[in-house]
């Protein structure tokens, strides 16, 4: 399949600037959802969507590589009505953190997109920001210094005074090479090097303990996870492996086969989500799902554009074409008879299927 920019003349493009269309929580098949009617007519190509961050109710994106960050909301998702606080880790799935540094002081500002609750705190001198998920921030770990978990003082008043909560289970003197958020606000992926060996796993943000799941992982390997599975894509051959979150320390991930030219993008429920084939492979753009339980594989959406992303609540977002020719942002959620549902949300653009 050729890229849509080359294959179709576009008659309509809705660039995610309109208001979100909200409804009730999903209870039926995704294909039964109504198509939003609002469209802006334009003679232009379907814009590419770069997903910058995704929560449980809203997501941030940019169009066609632009510098402007925009915000959208999912269809068929009702935002929580109760307040959300840093003391409730699970409520952090719709929290976006921004980090600023001025005069040597690093400030973390957090806003819960659907409830409006906010938190703000400073990291002490020498504690460099590494990554954030939900209400939790990880800092340090550089050049053998300890990795620490920070949250607003309402939850860790004493620990914050003395320098955050140190992560246990990482050897003293290890160099933390990667701190990576994923489809969870309960865990953070971390990899480190110690005595010439690279180890990767998850930090439990409730107990502050690190659990290793794989050793010898290359620096280019992709790591994705949710509350159920820790998965890796060991390029360049794209060998997929997965281990259950909570497995005993030292458990090696189970091999799930070769991803081919596709890349691991997210873990949704019990499935590894793949898309974005390697450049020059000649492989058509589509979204595949690989079962973390038995390794079975199926196509979920085709055709699709690359660069799907995970959401903090364990869902995922991807741009794909529906049966009417509209290019949409699809919200991938666990559930349904196959274990993975694709809910059409925002319209990105429409194509003239009869064009050359």
């Amino acid at each position: 399949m050729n890229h849509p920019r080359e294959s179709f003349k576009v008659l309509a493009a809705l660039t995610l600037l309109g208001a979100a269309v909200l409804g009730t929580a999903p209870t039926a098949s995704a294909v039964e959802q109504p198509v939003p009617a609002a469209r802006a007519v334009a003679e232009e190509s379907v814009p590419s969507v770069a997903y910058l961050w995704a929560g449980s109710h809203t997501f941030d994106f940019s169009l066609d590589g632009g510098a402007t960050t925009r915000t959208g909301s999912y269809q068929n998702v009702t935002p929580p009505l109760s307040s959300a606080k840093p003391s409730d880790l699970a409520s952090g799935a719709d929290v976006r953190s921004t980090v600023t540094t001025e005069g040597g002081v690093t400030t973390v500002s957090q806003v819960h997109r659907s409830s409006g609750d906010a938190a703000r705190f400073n990291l002490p001198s020498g504690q460099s920001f590494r990554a954030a998920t939900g209400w939790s921030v990880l800092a340090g770990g550089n050049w053998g210094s300890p990795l620490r978990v920070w949250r607003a003082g309402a939850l860790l008043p004493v620990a914050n005074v003395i320098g955050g909560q140190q992560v246990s289970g990482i050897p003293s003197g290890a160099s933390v090479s990667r701190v990576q958020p994923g489809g969870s606000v309960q865990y953070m992926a971390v990899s480190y090097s110690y005595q010439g060996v690279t180890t990767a796993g998850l930090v439990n943000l409730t107990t502050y303990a690190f659990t290793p799941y794989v050793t010898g992982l290359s620096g280019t390997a992709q790591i994705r996870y949710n509350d159920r599975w820790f998965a890796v894509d060991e390029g360049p051959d794209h060998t997929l492996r997965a281990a259950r979150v909570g497995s005993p320390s030292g458990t090696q991930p189970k091999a799930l086969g070769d991803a081919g030219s596709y890349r691991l993008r997210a873990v949704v429920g019990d499935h590894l989500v793949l898309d974005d084939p390697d450049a020059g492979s000649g492989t058509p753009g589509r979204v595949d799902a690989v079962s973390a339980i038995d390794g079975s594989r199926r196509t979920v959406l085709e055709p699709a554009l690359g660069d799907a992303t995970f959401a903090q609540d364990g869902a995922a977002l991807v741009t794909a074409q529906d049966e009417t020719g509209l290019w949409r942002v699809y919200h991938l959620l666990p559930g349904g008879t196959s274990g993975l549902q694709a809910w059409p949300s925002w319209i990105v653009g429409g194509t003239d299927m009869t064009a050359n």
Side-chain angles (χ1 to χ4, degrees):
M1 182 196 77
N2 292 327
H3 193 285
R5 294 180 186 274
E6 302 169 352
S7 302
F8 307 117
K9 175 182 176 184
V10 175
L11 297 180
L14 180 69
T15 60
L16 307 182
L17 301 179
V21 182
L22 295 176
T24 58
T27 57
S29 172
V31 298
E32 298 172 358
Q33 301 308 302
V35 175
R39 300 181 191 177
V41 177
E43 289 288 336
E44 62 186 53
S45 62
V46 176
S48 64
V49 183
Y51 301 107
L52 307 176
W53 170 87
S56 59
H57 175 240
T58 61
F59 64 99
D60 288 350
F61 63 94
S62 65
L63 296 173
D64 284 333
T68 301
T69 298
R70 313 177 192 277
T71 299
S73 299
Y74 308 128
Q75 276 187 248
N76 306 303
V77 174
T78 302
L81 300 178
S82 58
S83 64
K85 303 296 183 184
S87 57
D88 180 9
L89 283 188
S91 74
D94 214 26
V95 170
R96 177 74 190 266
S97 295
T98 57
V99 181
T100 58
T101 300
E102 185 176 353
V105 177
T106 299
T107 301
V108 179
S109 301
Q110 300 176 313
V111 176
H112 194 284
R113 289 290 185 78
S114 49
S115 75
D117 289 281
R120 181 184 175 94
F121 58 92
N122 295 333
L123 296 177
S125 177
Q127 286 284 302
S128 57
F129 172 86
R130 299 298 296 269
T133 183
W135 294 111
S136 303
V137 170
L138 270 72
N142 310 83
W143 306 289
S145 66
L147 190 66
R148 297 180 183 274
V149 177
W150 291 81
R151 284 194 286 272
L155 182 59
L156 298 175
V158 176
N160 279 350
V161 170
I162 63 174
Q165 182 67 50
Q166 183 171 331
V167 174
S168 62
I170 297 178
S172 176
S175 178
V176 177
S177 55
R178 185 187 313 195
V179 182
Q180 182 180 314
S184 172
V185 293
Q186 307 280 358
Y187 298 92
M188 182 79 83
V190 169
S191 63
Y192 65 83
S193 297
Y194 182 69
Q195 296 181 345
V197 178
T198 300
T199 301
L202 295 176
V203 173
N204 184 320
L205 297 172
T206 300
T207 64
Y208 315 109
F210 173 83
T211 299
Y213 289 111
V214 61
T215 58
L217 198 65
S218 71
T220 59
Q222 297 172 50
I223 297 174
R224 297 292 186 269
Y225 63 94
N226 60 8
D227 288 339
R228 298 168 62 87
W229 296 93
F230 174 87
V232 296
D233 177 351
E234 298 182 81
D237 296 328
H238 298 297
T239 301
L240 300 172
R241 300 181 184 276
R244 283 192 179 275
V245 173
S247 298
S249 180
T251 300
Q252 290 298 306
K254 177 177 61 177
L256 298 173
D258 189 347
S261 61
Y262 290 83
R263 296 182 177 93
L264 174 63
R265 291 298 187 182
V267 183
V268 178
D270 293 320
H271 290 85
L272 281 61
V273 176
L274 314 178
D275 88 330
D276 195 18
D278 291 329
S281 67
T283 307
R286 68 177 188 235
V287 177
D288 284 359
V290 176
S291 170
I293 298 174
D294 61 16
S296 60
R297 180 169 177 168
R298 65 185 178 89
T299 296
V300 179
L301 294 166
E302 185 178 22
L305 301 181
D307 205 22
T309 194
F310 58 82
Q312 289 188 146
D313 64 348
L317 296 179
V318 66
T319 309
Q321 194 178 53
D322 67 15
E323 66 278 2
T324 70
L326 289 172
W327 287 88
R328 294 175 171 273
V329 173
Y330 275 84
H331 191 201
L332 303 185
L333 296 167
T337 56
S338 67
L340 188 65
Q341 302 178 93
W343 291 86
S345 189
W346 291 87
I347 300 173
V348 179
T351 60
D352 178 5
M353 299 302 292
T354 64
N356 183 17

